[in-house]
Amino acid sequence: MLAARSDPASSRRATEISRRRGQESHARRGRAGPDTGVAKRPGAGGRSGASARKVFPTRETLATFYEQNGNRLAWCDDAGKVLPSTTTLLETLRRAGDHGLDPEDYALSRLDVLREKIGKGDLDDAAVARLADFDLLMTAAFFRYASDLSTGRLHPDEIRDDWHTSSPELDPLTGLGEVRESGKLAELLDALPPPHAEYASLCKALKELRQVEAAGGWPVIPVGPKLAQGSRGPRVALLRQRLLEPAGDLFDASLTGALRRAQQQHGIEPDGKLGAATLAELNVPVERRIGQVELNIERWRWIPRTLADPYVVVNIPGFDLALMRGRASAWRTRVVVGKSFTPTPVFSDRIVAVVANPPWNVPESIAVNEYLPELKKDAKALRRHGLRLLKGPEEHADEINPASVNWDKLDDGKFPYRLRQDPGPDNALGRVKFQLTNDFGVYLHDTPARSLFGHSDRDLSHGCIRVENPLELARLLWTNPRRIFSARPSTSRRKTCRGQPPVPIHILYLTAWVDDGGALHFGPDVRIRHSPAKCARSRRLSRQGSHP
C-alpha cells in the first residue's frame, strides 16, 4: 500500500500485513454480541439470515476500498507522513460522544498510540507493519463511524418486528474515495448526522445531562409523605435543589409551578404535588437519563432524512400529534395510541383522504377475541353495542340475525362473519376517519370516548390512533374538506374527501424529546411497562366507546 516508486518491497509487505490484520481483527469483532454496538450494516431495508449478522465494515468492504485505491496507504503519503485528513478524522472521533457514540468503538486509543509512533525512525519492517495497521484501523474506523452516525449502530428490525422504517442510504466506499481526492473530508463528516432539528436538540440535551453527571448528579429525595404547597422540611429543601429553585425548606407557589413543569416533562398529571409517581421520576439517576437520550438519538438515525413539508408526526410515547410546517410545529393535539399487547407500529405513510361519518368494520381479531366470548353468553350483545352481523363480500353482504347463529360452535379458527357498526354518535370511529395506505390496518380517527384524552397515560387502543381534535386537523391539512367540515357533521351519511396532495405522516417512538420551548421530556416505554393490573385497566378503558 506504500507507493511503488518509494519502496516496492515495503509496499507489498504493508499490503500483506494489512490484509492479514484485517482478517484477524474482523474475526475477533464477529464474535461480539449485539450489545457491543458492532453489528451494523450500511444502507436501508431489513436483513435476515447470515448477511444480517455481518459486522460492518466487512473484510470485503476493506479489500474493495484498497483495491480501488491501488493498494496504497489512504491516511499517509508515500513517505509514510500522516495526511491532514488523518488529523481531521481523529479529532472527529474524539467528539463521537457528542452524538451518543463511544470513541472507543472506533479504536481511538489504539489509533493514538500508533499515530505517535509514525514517522519516527527508519521505515523498517516494524515501521511498515505499524503503518499498515494504522491505515487499516483508520479506514475501518471511518466506515464504521460513518455508518453508525448516519444510519445507526443497529437496525430497528434487529430489536422489534413492529418497526418499519427505512434508514438512509450510505455509500461509504464512494464517499471516502471522493473526499480523499478533493480534500473535503470535514464536509463529508459534518453531513453524516441526521439533518433534523430534533436530533440536534437531543444532542444538546445530552451535553447538558453530562454536565449534570460531572457535577455529581441530582440529589436523591427520600421516600416519605406526599408534599404539597405549604409543606416544610429537609425533603422540600432537596426538591428545591432538584428543580433548581432558590435554597429553602418551604414548599411555596414558585416550587409548585416548577414541579408542575417537571411533571409535564415526565408525562405525569401536573398537580403540583410530590407523590410517589413524581418522586420516582425525579429520582431516576442522571446516568439512566443519559442512556435514554442516547437511545433516542439513535432512533433519529433510523428516520428518513426527508420528511416533506408539511407533514404529520405522531410520537407514540408522547401521546402527541403535531402538524409540521417549515420544520416547526404549526399545531398540536393529544392522541390515544396502542396498548403494549396491541401496539401502534412505527412506520411512515401518507394521509390520502378524510371520511365523515365512517362506518366501523370490526377487525376479525377484535370480533373473535373480544365480542365472541360475550356473544356466546348473550346473542343480544351485538344490539347493545350497535353492531350488525354480516356475511359475504362487503358490497353484497347479507345481514344475519344473531339469534340464528350457534355461537358455541364458533372460535378463532371458524368465524365466517363480519361485524359492522354504522355511522352515528356512538360509532367507535366517531365522526371522522383519516385514511392511510399501510398494510397494518392503522389509521387516525375521532372517538366518542372523549374522557380518555384527560388521562396522562393514553396507550389504550388496539393500534389505531384516536385524535382529540380531528375536525381541526382535517381543516388544517387541506382546503377541500372544509366544506363538509364547516360544522360538526350531524348526519349519518358517509362523505369522503380525497386529500390533494396527500400529506406524509410519520409514526415515531421517542421516549425522550425536546419540545418547541427547549425543554427535555421523557415519556414511558409503553411497549414493555404493562403489569397485569395495568393490562386489565387498559382493556376496560379501551372499551369506552371506541375499539380500533
Side-chain angles (χ1 to χ4, degrees), residues 69 74 83-85 174-189:
N69 194 44
L83 296 173
S85 57
T174 301
L176 181 57
E178 290 178 351
V179 299
R180 286 190 64 262
E181 296 297 327
S182 64
K184 296 182 178 179
L185 179 61
E187 293 182 16
L188 173 62
L189 293 171

Side-chain angles (χ1 to χ4, degrees), residues 490-502:
S490 58
T491 70
S492 60
R493 186 165 64 89
R494 176 176 177 173
K495 300 177 183 178
T496 300
C497 274
R498 295 288 170 184
Q500 293 297 332

Side-chain angles (χ1 to χ4, degrees), residues 153-176:
R153 299 169 69 238
L154 297 172
H155 193 271
D157 64 10
E158 298 173 2
I159 303 171
R160 293 191 62 93
D161 58 6
D162 54 359
W163 291 69
H164 307 276
T165 57
S166 296
S167 300
E169 292 286 355
L170 173 67
D171 185 3
L173 281 173
T174 301
L176 181 57

Side-chain angles (χ1 to χ4, degrees), residues 54 69 156 253 299 371 438 538:
K54 283 187 178 181
N69 194 44
R299 286 169 177 163
Y371 287 112
N438 61 85
S538 295

Side-chain angles (χ1 to χ4, degrees), residues 468-479:
E468 183 178 23
N469 296 299
L471 296 178
E472 184 65 16
L473 177 60
R475 296 186 185 108
L476 289 170
L477 288 180
W478 304 291
T479 301

